[in-house]
Amino acid sequence: TKLKVGLLFGGCSGEHEVSISSARAIAQALKSGENTNKYEVLPFYIQKNGIWQGVEIAQQVLAAGSPYLPTDEQQGKHNLWQFPSQASEIDVWFPILHGPNGEDGTVQGLLKLMQVPFVGTPALGSAVGMDKLAMKTAFAQAGLPQVKYIAVNRSQIYSNPCVFPKLCDEIEATLGYPCFVKPANLGSSVGIAKVRSRAQLETALDNAASYDRRLIVEAGVVAREVECAVLGNDQAKASVVGEITYTSDFYDYQTKYTAGQADLIIPASLPDAITTQIQEMAIKAFAAVDGAGLARVDFFYVEQTGEVLINEINTLPGFTTTSMYPQLWAATGIPFSELVDQLIQLALERKVNS
Ligand code: ADP
Ligand code: MG
Ligand code: MG
């Protein structure tokens, strides 16, 4: 009998549409080649308002490739816990939700409660990977080099008596310009600004605080952006290294999601020693957050000094046919459909309660 794979996609995040594209590619891969005899795919869709939809509507969303919009009768109802009954048949879950409410440990906690194995990192590592401040603490503890940064809490921006000017003074003195202001728990560059003056810094802090209570300000580096894919559980492997190039000011939301604005170069043209260093750092980073299954680890390579700094880990990276993660594995010798198969096997290998 075939294993029933619950492909969970959509979600309450800015990356809802990317999730649909990722799920389409994975569903296709599970229905082709040798996977056809092993797996039966049951898609489940989380609407932008958090409501779960079962196989029928999920199939429609996959076929259409665009979101299913909440109906009028659903407005104001938050029946998040009414799961489609088909959910009880699932042997293994494959969540492919990007960003908050899916990549951050929330859904992973729920799947653990269901006592069914699932693809990817459990709750702790997902939450640590999503929160840039917790992530940097874990990386620092593992001895991974990173840019200088300052943690900011929303209360420091709006407090009375006002500490805001002092905070900005400290940022200017410690980090200088340009620096990057980011909400701690987001992705896809949403809410991120590159700032070059006091006025821009003040505006960017105010804007980032509208997304999150926890913020981070980082010193800006001039560097090449290189990424490495990790696959495995306790004995994870690293892929070849890829590079992202673009002509915009930084790798912002528009550059990420407008066709033709960024190029992926696989493998990146790097000295062998740097490639090896990046691969070792990627595996260390994966272990530092207690990752499982998959992750894409992103770096800054400062060519002038030869330094490699870790930027971040993404525990549920983009998984469309043109995304960096599957392309890195394809270039390393694991084609898309085999990658998806291995990820499910890695999920089954982990005990449900570990
Ligand atoms: P996200 O999780 O949203 O992808 P990142 O921290 O990766 O956020 O930042 C998005 C992009 O902003 C990076 O890919 C890079 O182009 C730019 N960036 C972020 N931080 C820095 C930094 N400290 N120095 C230089 N560029 C940065
Ligand atoms: Mg990210
Ligand atoms: Mg990033």
Side-chain angles (χ1 to χ4, degrees):
T1 64
K2 295 186 192 182
L3 206 65
K4 288 188 177 164
V5 181
L7 185 60
L8 185 55
F9 70 103
C12 314
S13 92
E15 290 148 292
H16 186 97
E17 279 80 4
V18 187
S19 169
I20 295 174
S21 300
S22 295
R24 270 163 75 99
I26 293 167
Q28 188 64 40
L30 287 171
K31 288 177 195 158
S32 65
E34 286 170 31
N35 288 339
T36 340
N37 305 321
K38 287 168 86 171
Y39 305 116
E40 180 187 348
V41 188
L42 281 79
F44 291 82
Y45 174 65
I46 303 178
Q47 292 178 186
K48 286 186 180 180
N49 66 355
I51 291 175
W52 287 46
Q53 294 287 357
V55 176
E56 291 72 28
I57 285 175
Q59 297 279 23
Q60 286 174 31
V61 175
L62 285 182
S66 52
Y68 176 86
L69 298 172
T71 56
D72 282 345
E73 73 183 88
Q74 283 180 354
Q75 292 305 341
K77 261 208 224 165
H78 291 282
N79 56 336
L80 305 188
W81 310 109
Q82 258 175 45
F83 294 112
S85 59
Q86 298 134 318
S88 62
E89 300 169 27
I90 297 305
D91 298 310
V92 57
W93 286 97
F94 197 139
I96 192 70
L97 300 153
H98 311 303
N101 303 308
E103 187 174 349
D104 59 353
T106 48
V107 163
Q108 289 72 18
L110 182 67
L111 298 179
K112 183 179 179 187
L113 284 173
M114 286 184 184
Q115 302 183 41
V116 176
F118 58 91
V119 170
T121 299
L124 173 70
S126 297
V128 173
M130 179 60 51
D131 185 288
K132 293 186 191 300
L133 293 168
M135 174 184 78
K136 284 189 186 284
T137 305
F139 289 167
Q141 187 64 30
L144 292 160
Q146 38 196 343
V147 297
K148 250 200 216 167
Y149 69 94
I150 289 179
V152 177
N153 189 284
R154 184 191 280 150
S155 64
Q156 293 171 276
I157 300 175
Y158 306 113
S159 66
N160 183 13
C162 187
V163 297
F164 190 52
K166 263 185 104 172
L167 171 69
C168 293
D169 288 346
E170 187 200 345
I171 291 169
E172 286 182 337
T174 314
L175 308 176
Y177 295 118
C179 60
F180 284 79
V181 178
K182 312 176 181 183
N185 288 273
L186 264 178
S188 287
S189 302
V190 174
I192 296 183
K194 179 176 183 176
V195 303
R196 296 178 172 83
S197 67
R198 180 74 167 223
Q200 287 177 3
L201 175 63
E202 291 172 354
T203 308
L205 285 167
D206 180 48
N207 179 55
S210 70
Y211 292 96
D212 202 343
R213 256 179 64 249
R214 284 156 71 77
L215 314 179
I216 180 166
V217 186
E218 296 178 13
V221 286
V222 179
R224 289 166 64 185
E225 294 196 46
V226 290
E227 306 189 339
C228 183
V230 177
L231 175 67
N233 289 334
D234 289 333
Q235 251 111 53
K237 295 172 295 181
S239 71
V240 298
V241 175
E243 178 167 10
I244 291 166
T245 60
Y246 49 85
T247 51
S248 48
D249 193 24
F250 71 98
Y251 197 33
D252 58 7
Y253 184 89
Q254 166 158 339
T255 310
K256 285 180 179 174
Y257 296 117
T258 314
Q261 293 245 1
D263 286 310
L264 310 189
I265 301 164
I266 302 171
S269 167
L270 296 166
D272 288 347
I274 295 293
T275 298
T276 307
Q277 189 185 337
I278 289 169
Q279 289 167 328
E280 285 170 4
M281 286 172 71
I283 288 170
K284 246 190 186 177
F286 189 69
V289 305
D290 196 27
L294 73 163
R296 197 193 72 226
V297 188
D298 301 348
F299 299 88
F300 296 125
Y301 172 46
V302 188
E303 214 164 10
Q304 267 112 354
T305 60
E307 253 181 317
V308 179
L309 305 170
I310 189 162
N311 173 31
E312 63 160 339
I313 188 166
N314 294 288
T315 52
L316 281 177
F319 215 118
T320 73
T321 48
T322 57
S323 295
M324 185 64 110
Y325 185 85
Q327 295 220 59
L328 286 172
W329 282 115
T332 311
I334 305 178
F336 198 104
S337 58
E338 201 180 313
L339 179 62
V340 166
D341 178 27
Q342 283 201 31
L343 284 169
I344 294 172
Q345 295 306 317
L346 285 164
L348 298 174
E349 236 173 55
R350 275 177 27 229
K351 298 230 167 56
V352 173
N353 284 307
S354 67

mmCIF file of all heavy atoms in Angstrom, residues 299-339:
data_model
loop_
_atom_site.group_PDB
_atom_site.id
_atom_site.type_symbol
_atom_site.label_atom_id
_atom_site.label_comp_id
_atom_site.label_asym_id
_atom_site.label_seq_id
_atom_site.Cartn_x
_atom_site.Cartn_y
_atom_site.Cartn_z
ATOM 1 N N PHE A 299 25.025 33.039 3.210
ATOM 2 C CA PHE A 299 26.277 33.641 3.673
ATOM 3 C C PHE A 299 26.603 34.913 2.916
ATOM 4 O O PHE A 299 26.148 35.128 1.799
ATOM 5 C CB PHE A 299 27.443 32.669 3.444
ATOM 6 C CG PHE A 299 27.308 31.372 4.181
ATOM 7 C CD1 PHE A 299 26.636 30.296 3.604
ATOM 8 C CD2 PHE A 299 27.854 31.213 5.455
ATOM 9 C CE1 PHE A 299 26.509 29.096 4.280
ATOM 10 C CE2 PHE A 299 27.732 30.013 6.122
ATOM 11 C CZ PHE A 299 27.060 28.950 5.544
ATOM 12 N N PHE A 300 27.485 35.716 3.547
ATOM 13 C CA PHE A 300 28.130 36.830 2.866
ATOM 14 C C PHE A 300 29.594 36.437 2.684
ATOM 15 O O PHE A 300 30.269 36.091 3.662
ATOM 16 C CB PHE A 300 28.058 38.106 3.713
ATOM 17 C CG PHE A 300 26.656 38.609 3.959
ATOM 18 C CD1 PHE A 300 26.195 38.821 5.259
ATOM 19 C CD2 PHE A 300 25.793 38.882 2.895
ATOM 20 C CE1 PHE A 300 24.914 39.292 5.488
ATOM 21 C CE2 PHE A 300 24.508 39.354 3.116
ATOM 22 C CZ PHE A 300 24.066 39.561 4.415
ATOM 23 N N TYR A 301 30.056 36.497 1.448
ATOM 24 C CA TYR A 301 31.476 36.252 1.186
ATOM 25 C C TYR A 301 32.125 37.599 0.858
ATOM 26 O O TYR A 301 31.855 38.197 -0.183
ATOM 27 C CB TYR A 301 31.643 35.260 0.025
ATOM 28 C CG TYR A 301 33.076 35.092 -0.441
ATOM 29 C CD1 TYR A 301 34.123 34.925 0.471
ATOM 30 C CD2 TYR A 301 33.390 35.112 -1.797
ATOM 31 C CE1 TYR A 301 35.437 34.784 0.037
ATOM 32 C CE2 TYR A 301 34.702 34.963 -2.246
ATOM 33 C CZ TYR A 301 35.719 34.800 -1.314
ATOM 34 O OH TYR A 301 37.015 34.664 -1.744
ATOM 35 N N VAL A 302 32.945 38.092 1.780
ATOM 36 C CA VAL A 302 33.617 39.375 1.602
ATOM 37 C C VAL A 302 34.906 39.102 0.835
ATOM 38 O O VAL A 302 35.906 38.661 1.400
ATOM 39 C CB VAL A 302 33.922 40.047 2.966
ATOM 40 C CG1 VAL A 302 34.445 41.466 2.754
ATOM 41 C CG2 VAL A 302 32.682 40.056 3.850
ATOM 42 N N GLU A 303 34.845 39.355 -0.459
ATOM 43 C CA GLU A 303 35.944 38.931 -1.331
ATOM 44 C C GLU A 303 37.279 39.593 -0.955
ATOM 45 O O GLU A 303 38.313 38.924 -0.934
ATOM 46 C CB GLU A 303 35.590 39.237 -2.786
ATOM 47 C CG GLU A 303 36.152 38.215 -3.733
ATOM 48 C CD GLU A 303 35.507 38.280 -5.104
ATOM 49 O OE1 GLU A 303 34.750 39.228 -5.393
ATOM 50 O OE2 GLU A 303 35.787 37.366 -5.898
ATOM 51 N N GLN A 304 37.223 40.883 -0.632
ATOM 52 C CA GLN A 304 38.468 41.614 -0.322
ATOM 53 C C GLN A 304 39.272 40.983 0.808
ATOM 54 O O GLN A 304 40.502 40.920 0.744
ATOM 55 C CB GLN A 304 38.165 43.074 0.061
ATOM 56 C CG GLN A 304 38.225 44.027 -1.120
ATOM 57 C CD GLN A 304 36.846 44.565 -1.442
ATOM 58 O OE1 GLN A 304 35.852 44.128 -0.840
ATOM 59 N NE2 GLN A 304 36.757 45.484 -2.382
ATOM 60 N N THR A 305 38.560 40.544 1.855
ATOM 61 C CA THR A 305 39.268 40.021 3.027
ATOM 62 C C THR A 305 39.279 38.494 3.052
ATOM 63 O O THR A 305 39.956 37.897 3.885
ATOM 64 C CB THR A 305 38.574 40.509 4.316
ATOM 65 O OG1 THR A 305 37.217 40.032 4.290
ATOM 66 C CG2 THR A 305 38.577 42.020 4.416
ATOM 67 N N GLY A 306 38.479 37.863 2.171
ATOM 68 C CA GLY A 306 38.384 36.410 2.173
ATOM 69 C C GLY A 306 37.514 35.860 3.299
ATOM 70 O O GLY A 306 37.453 34.661 3.533
ATOM 71 N N GLU A 307 36.811 36.785 3.979
ATOM 72 C CA GLU A 307 35.975 36.382 5.118
ATOM 73 C C GLU A 307 34.637 35.789 4.664
ATOM 74 O O GLU A 307 34.031 36.299 3.720
ATOM 75 C CB GLU A 307 35.596 37.636 5.903
ATOM 76 C CG GLU A 307 36.278 37.841 7.219
ATOM 77 C CD GLU A 307 35.748 39.140 7.843
ATOM 78 O OE1 GLU A 307 35.601 40.152 7.119
ATOM 79 O OE2 GLU A 307 35.471 39.110 9.034
ATOM 80 N N VAL A 308 34.165 34.771 5.378
ATOM 81 C CA VAL A 308 32.823 34.254 5.160
ATOM 82 C C VAL A 308 32.023 34.492 6.434
ATOM 83 O O VAL A 308 32.416 34.043 7.512
ATOM 84 C CB VAL A 308 32.830 32.739 4.827
ATOM 85 C CG1 VAL A 308 31.408 32.231 4.642
ATOM 86 C CG2 VAL A 308 33.656 32.466 3.577
ATOM 87 N N LEU A 309 30.910 35.233 6.300
ATOM 88 C CA LEU A 309 30.048 35.511 7.448
ATOM 89 C C LEU A 309 28.717 34.818 7.219
ATOM 90 O O LEU A 309 28.200 34.826 6.105
ATOM 91 C CB LEU A 309 29.803 37.018 7.574
ATOM 92 C CG LEU A 309 31.048 37.899 7.658
ATOM 93 C CD1 LEU A 309 30.682 39.370 7.542
ATOM 94 C CD2 LEU A 309 31.769 37.641 8.984
ATOM 95 N N ILE A 310 28.158 34.230 8.262
ATOM 96 C CA ILE A 310 26.852 33.603 8.083
ATOM 97 C C ILE A 310 25.780 34.684 8.166
ATOM 98 O O ILE A 310 25.854 35.583 9.004
ATOM 99 C CB ILE A 310 26.616 32.471 9.103
ATOM 100 C CG1 ILE A 310 25.340 31.707 8.734
ATOM 101 C CG2 ILE A 310 26.539 32.991 10.540
ATOM 102 C CD1 ILE A 310 25.230 30.351 9.377
ATOM 103 N N ASN A 311 24.806 34.656 7.262
ATOM 104 C CA ASN A 311 23.704 35.613 7.321
ATOM 105 C C ASN A 311 22.495 34.983 8.004
ATOM 106 O O ASN A 311 22.018 35.483 9.009
ATOM 107 C CB ASN A 311 23.343 36.115 5.919
ATOM 108 C CG ASN A 311 22.093 36.983 5.907
ATOM 109 O OD1 ASN A 311 21.816 37.676 6.891
ATOM 110 N ND2 ASN A 311 21.332 36.953 4.837
ATOM 111 N N GLU A 312 22.009 33.863 7.484
ATOM 112 C CA GLU A 312 20.821 33.270 8.106
ATOM 113 C C GLU A 312 20.619 31.828 7.652
ATOM 114 O O GLU A 312 21.237 31.352 6.702
ATOM 115 C CB GLU A 312 19.568 34.090 7.747
ATOM 116 C CG GLU A 312 19.256 34.089 6.251
ATOM 117 C CD GLU A 312 17.805 34.473 5.959
ATOM 118 O OE1 GLU A 312 16.944 34.348 6.861
ATOM 119 O OE2 GLU A 312 17.529 34.849 4.813
ATOM 120 N N ILE A 313 19.714 31.164 8.367
ATOM 121 C CA ILE A 313 19.276 29.824 7.980
ATOM 122 C C ILE A 313 17.783 29.900 7.667
ATOM 123 O O ILE A 313 17.047 30.637 8.332
ATOM 124 C CB ILE A 313 19.581 28.788 9.091
ATOM 125 C CG1 ILE A 313 19.299 27.361 8.602
ATOM 126 C CG2 ILE A 313 18.785 29.072 10.370
ATOM 127 C CD1 ILE A 313 19.894 26.274 9.504
ATOM 128 N N ASN A 314 17.352 29.192 6.632
ATOM 129 C CA ASN A 314 15.930 29.105 6.298
ATOM 130 C C ASN A 314 15.554 27.635 6.369
ATOM 131 O O ASN A 314 16.050 26.829 5.577
ATOM 132 C CB ASN A 314 15.690 29.673 4.902
ATOM 133 C CG ASN A 314 15.972 31.166 4.845
ATOM 134 O OD1 ASN A 314 15.220 31.974 5.370
ATOM 135 N ND2 ASN A 314 17.092 31.544 4.244
ATOM 136 N N THR A 315 14.696 27.288 7.313
ATOM 137 C CA THR A 315 14.404 25.868 7.539
ATOM 138 C C THR A 315 13.358 25.300 6.572
ATOM 139 O O THR A 315 13.269 24.080 6.438
ATOM 140 C CB THR A 315 13.977 25.620 9.002
ATOM 141 O OG1 THR A 315 12.918 26.518 9.324
ATOM 142 C CG2 THR A 315 15.150 25.830 9.956
ATOM 143 N N LEU A 316 12.563 26.160 5.921
ATOM 144 C CA LEU A 316 11.684 25.699 4.838
ATOM 145 C C LEU A 316 11.881 26.631 3.645
ATOM 146 O O LEU A 316 11.045 27.494 3.353
ATOM 147 C CB LEU A 316 10.207 25.655 5.267
ATOM 148 C CG LEU A 316 9.777 24.450 6.101
ATOM 149 C CD1 LEU A 316 8.307 24.575 6.527
ATOM 150 C CD2 LEU A 316 9.976 23.141 5.347
ATOM 151 N N PRO A 317 13.003 26.462 2.954
ATOM 152 C CA PRO A 317 13.332 27.363 1.844
ATOM 153 C C PRO A 317 12.389 27.179 0.668
ATOM 154 O O PRO A 317 11.723 26.154 0.557
ATOM 155 C CB PRO A 317 14.753 26.941 1.475
ATOM 156 C CG PRO A 317 14.851 25.508 1.877
ATOM 157 C CD PRO A 317 13.994 25.385 3.106
ATOM 158 N N GLY A 318 12.352 28.174 -0.210
ATOM 159 C CA GLY A 318 11.573 28.087 -1.443
ATOM 160 C C GLY A 318 11.878 26.776 -2.154
ATOM 161 O O GLY A 318 13.029 26.345 -2.210
ATOM 162 N N PHE A 319 10.815 26.128 -2.675
ATOM 163 C CA PHE A 319 10.967 24.778 -3.219
ATOM 164 C C PHE A 319 10.278 24.673 -4.574
ATOM 165 O O PHE A 319 9.718 23.622 -4.911
ATOM 166 C CB PHE A 319 10.401 23.768 -2.214
ATOM 167 C CG PHE A 319 11.138 22.462 -2.141
ATOM 168 C CD1 PHE A 319 11.760 22.062 -0.965
ATOM 169 C CD2 PHE A 319 11.221 21.617 -3.246
ATOM 170 C CE1 PHE A 319 12.445 20.854 -0.875
ATOM 171 C CE2 PHE A 319 11.902 20.405 -3.168
ATOM 172 C CZ PHE A 319 12.516 20.015 -1.985
ATOM 173 N N THR A 320 10.289 25.758 -5.338
ATOM 174 C CA THR A 320 9.728 25.675 -6.685
ATOM 175 C C THR A 320 10.787 25.041 -7.588
ATOM 176 O O THR A 320 11.926 24.856 -7.168
ATOM 177 C CB THR A 320 9.374 27.081 -7.222
ATOM 178 O OG1 THR A 320 10.584 27.763 -7.550
ATOM 179 C CG2 THR A 320 8.606 27.900 -6.191
ATOM 180 N N THR A 321 10.399 24.717 -8.815
ATOM 181 C CA THR A 321 11.375 24.062 -9.702
ATOM 182 C C THR A 321 12.585 24.956 -9.974
ATOM 183 O O THR A 321 13.660 24.464 -10.275
ATOM 184 C CB THR A 321 10.721 23.685 -11.052
ATOM 185 O OG1 THR A 321 10.002 24.816 -11.519
ATOM 186 C CG2 THR A 321 9.775 22.511 -10.894
ATOM 187 N N THR A 322 12.407 26.290 -9.850
ATOM 188 C CA THR A 322 13.536 27.190 -10.116
ATOM 189 C C THR A 322 14.192 27.711 -8.836
ATOM 190 O O THR A 322 15.089 28.549 -8.893
ATOM 191 C CB THR A 322 13.083 28.397 -10.969
ATOM 192 O OG1 THR A 322 12.024 29.061 -10.267
ATOM 193 C CG2 THR A 322 12.581 27.958 -12.334
ATOM 194 N N SER A 323 13.762 27.229 -7.664
ATOM 195 C CA SER A 323 14.332 27.713 -6.404
ATOM 196 C C SER A 323 15.756 27.220 -6.185
ATOM 197 O O SER A 323 16.150 26.159 -6.675
ATOM 198 C CB SER A 323 13.480 27.252 -5.213
ATOM 199 O OG SER A 323 12.204 27.832 -5.252
ATOM 200 N N MET A 324 16.497 27.986 -5.391
ATOM 201 C CA MET A 324 17.890 27.653 -5.107
ATOM 202 C C MET A 324 18.030 26.269 -4.458
ATOM 203 O O MET A 324 18.893 25.484 -4.874
ATOM 204 C CB MET A 324 18.480 28.736 -4.186
ATOM 205 C CG MET A 324 19.940 28.602 -3.885
ATOM 206 S SD MET A 324 20.995 28.785 -5.356
ATOM 207 C CE MET A 324 21.794 30.359 -5.074
ATOM 208 N N TYR A 325 17.198 25.961 -3.452
ATOM 209 C CA TYR A 325 17.403 24.708 -2.701
ATOM 210 C C TYR A 325 17.404 23.465 -3.599
ATOM 211 O O TYR A 325 18.382 22.719 -3.633
ATOM 212 C CB TYR A 325 16.396 24.582 -1.541
ATOM 213 C CG TYR A 325 16.681 23.365 -0.687
ATOM 214 C CD1 TYR A 325 17.609 23.413 0.337
ATOM 215 C CD2 TYR A 325 16.059 22.141 -0.946
ATOM 216 C CE1 TYR A 325 17.923 22.291 1.098
ATOM 217 C CE2 TYR A 325 16.360 21.008 -0.197
ATOM 218 C CZ TYR A 325 17.290 21.098 0.824
ATOM 219 O OH TYR A 325 17.602 19.982 1.564
ATOM 220 N N PRO A 326 16.323 23.213 -4.355
ATOM 221 C CA PRO A 326 16.347 22.009 -5.211
ATOM 222 C C PRO A 326 17.393 22.093 -6.323
ATOM 223 O O PRO A 326 17.952 21.066 -6.716
ATOM 224 C CB PRO A 326 14.931 21.927 -5.781
ATOM 225 C CG PRO A 326 14.298 23.235 -5.525
ATOM 226 C CD PRO A 326 14.997 23.864 -4.373
ATOM 227 N N GLN A 327 17.674 23.303 -6.792
ATOM 228 C CA GLN A 327 18.683 23.437 -7.854
ATOM 229 C C GLN A 327 20.080 23.100 -7.335
ATOM 230 O O GLN A 327 20.901 22.534 -8.060
ATOM 231 C CB GLN A 327 18.659 24.841 -8.437
ATOM 232 C CG GLN A 327 17.341 25.130 -9.144
ATOM 233 C CD GLN A 327 17.568 25.901 -10.423
ATOM 234 O OE1 GLN A 327 18.271 25.458 -11.319
ATOM 235 N NE2 GLN A 327 16.968 27.085 -10.497
ATOM 236 N N LEU A 328 20.356 23.476 -6.086
ATOM 237 C CA LEU A 328 21.668 23.138 -5.513
ATOM 238 C C LEU A 328 21.828 21.628 -5.413
ATOM 239 O O LEU A 328 22.890 21.083 -5.717
ATOM 240 C CB LEU A 328 21.843 23.782 -4.128
ATOM 241 C CG LEU A 328 22.100 25.296 -4.107
ATOM 242 C CD1 LEU A 328 22.069 25.835 -2.684
ATOM 243 C CD2 LEU A 328 23.434 25.630 -4.779
ATOM 244 N N TRP A 329 20.742 20.941 -5.018
ATOM 245 C CA TRP A 329 20.837 19.475 -4.916
ATOM 246 C C TRP A 329 20.917 18.813 -6.291
ATOM 247 O O TRP A 329 21.637 17.827 -6.469
ATOM 248 C CB TRP A 329 19.708 18.887 -4.065
ATOM 249 C CG TRP A 329 20.035 19.092 -2.615
ATOM 250 C CD1 TRP A 329 19.360 19.863 -1.716
ATOM 251 C CD2 TRP A 329 21.181 18.569 -1.912
ATOM 252 N NE1 TRP A 329 20.011 19.862 -0.499
ATOM 253 C CE2 TRP A 329 21.122 19.077 -0.589
ATOM 254 C CE3 TRP A 329 22.255 17.736 -2.261
ATOM 255 C CZ2 TRP A 329 22.094 18.771 0.379
ATOM 256 C CZ3 TRP A 329 23.214 17.430 -1.301
ATOM 257 C CH2 TRP A 329 23.137 17.939 -0.002
ATOM 258 N N ALA A 330 20.191 19.368 -7.253
ATOM 259 C CA ALA A 330 20.264 18.820 -8.611
ATOM 260 C C ALA A 330 21.706 18.893 -9.114
ATOM 261 O O ALA A 330 22.234 17.927 -9.675
ATOM 262 C CB ALA A 330 19.320 19.582 -9.535
ATOM 263 N N ALA A 331 22.365 20.029 -8.832
ATOM 264 C CA ALA A 331 23.752 20.201 -9.278
ATOM 265 C C ALA A 331 24.715 19.307 -8.491
ATOM 266 O O ALA A 331 25.833 19.047 -8.913
ATOM 267 C CB ALA A 331 24.165 21.666 -9.137
ATOM 268 N N THR A 332 24.265 18.849 -7.324
ATOM 269 C CA THR A 332 25.103 17.976 -6.488
ATOM 270 C C THR A 332 24.842 16.502 -6.828
ATOM 271 O O THR A 332 25.517 15.608 -6.313
ATOM 272 C CB THR A 332 24.817 18.270 -4.990
ATOM 273 O OG1 THR A 332 24.876 19.691 -4.788
ATOM 274 C CG2 THR A 332 25.829 17.617 -4.060
ATOM 275 N N GLY A 333 23.822 16.251 -7.653
ATOM 276 C CA GLY A 333 23.550 14.883 -8.095
ATOM 277 C C GLY A 333 22.251 14.283 -7.584
ATOM 278 O O GLY A 333 21.997 13.097 -7.772
ATOM 279 N N ILE A 334 21.418 15.077 -6.917
ATOM 280 C CA ILE A 334 20.120 14.563 -6.451
ATOM 281 C C ILE A 334 19.008 15.324 -7.177
ATOM 282 O O ILE A 334 18.709 16.469 -6.846
ATOM 283 C CB ILE A 334 19.967 14.710 -4.914
ATOM 284 C CG1 ILE A 334 21.132 14.030 -4.193
ATOM 285 C CG2 ILE A 334 18.620 14.132 -4.450
ATOM 286 C CD1 ILE A 334 21.096 14.171 -2.682
ATOM 287 N N PRO A 335 18.388 14.676 -8.178
ATOM 288 C CA PRO A 335 17.315 15.356 -8.903
ATOM 289 C C PRO A 335 16.089 15.602 -8.024
ATOM 290 O O PRO A 335 15.933 14.976 -6.970
ATOM 291 C CB PRO A 335 16.977 14.395 -10.044
ATOM 292 C CG PRO A 335 17.760 13.162 -9.829
ATOM 293 C CD PRO A 335 18.680 13.333 -8.675
ATOM 294 N N PHE A 336 15.237 16.519 -8.465
ATOM 295 C CA PHE A 336 14.082 16.990 -7.684
ATOM 296 C C PHE A 336 13.255 15.851 -7.071
ATOM 297 O O PHE A 336 12.972 15.849 -5.875
ATOM 298 C CB PHE A 336 13.204 17.879 -8.573
ATOM 299 C CG PHE A 336 12.249 18.755 -7.812
ATOM 300 C CD1 PHE A 336 12.497 20.111 -7.651
ATOM 301 C CD2 PHE A 336 11.086 18.221 -7.259
ATOM 302 C CE1 PHE A 336 11.602 20.925 -6.944
ATOM 303 C CE2 PHE A 336 10.192 19.023 -6.550
ATOM 304 C CZ PHE A 336 10.458 20.371 -6.399
ATOM 305 N N SER A 337 12.870 14.860 -7.895
ATOM 306 C CA SER A 337 11.950 13.828 -7.392
ATOM 307 C C SER A 337 12.637 12.936 -6.348
ATOM 308 O O SER A 337 12.011 12.505 -5.374
ATOM 309 C CB SER A 337 11.419 12.982 -8.544
ATOM 310 O OG SER A 337 12.491 12.401 -9.236
ATOM 311 N N GLU A 338 13.938 12.720 -6.535
ATOM 312 C CA GLU A 338 14.679 11.925 -5.560
ATOM 313 C C GLU A 338 14.854 12.704 -4.247
ATOM 314 O O GLU A 338 14.811 12.142 -3.148
ATOM 315 C CB GLU A 338 16.049 11.589 -6.155
ATOM 316 C CG GLU A 338 16.726 10.407 -5.525
ATOM 317 C CD GLU A 338 18.080 10.154 -6.175
ATOM 318 O OE1 GLU A 338 18.163 10.143 -7.435
ATOM 319 O OE2 GLU A 338 19.054 9.994 -5.426
ATOM 320 N N LEU A 339 15.014 14.009 -4.370
ATOM 321 C CA LEU A 339 15.163 14.883 -3.196
ATOM 322 C C LEU A 339 13.914 14.809 -2.317
ATOM 323 O O LEU A 339 13.982 14.648 -1.091
ATOM 324 C CB LEU A 339 15.410 16.314 -3.685
ATOM 325 C CG LEU A 339 15.574 17.403 -2.631
ATOM 326 C CD1 LEU A 339 16.788 17.136 -1.758
ATOM 327 C CD2 LEU A 339 15.700 18.776 -3.301
#
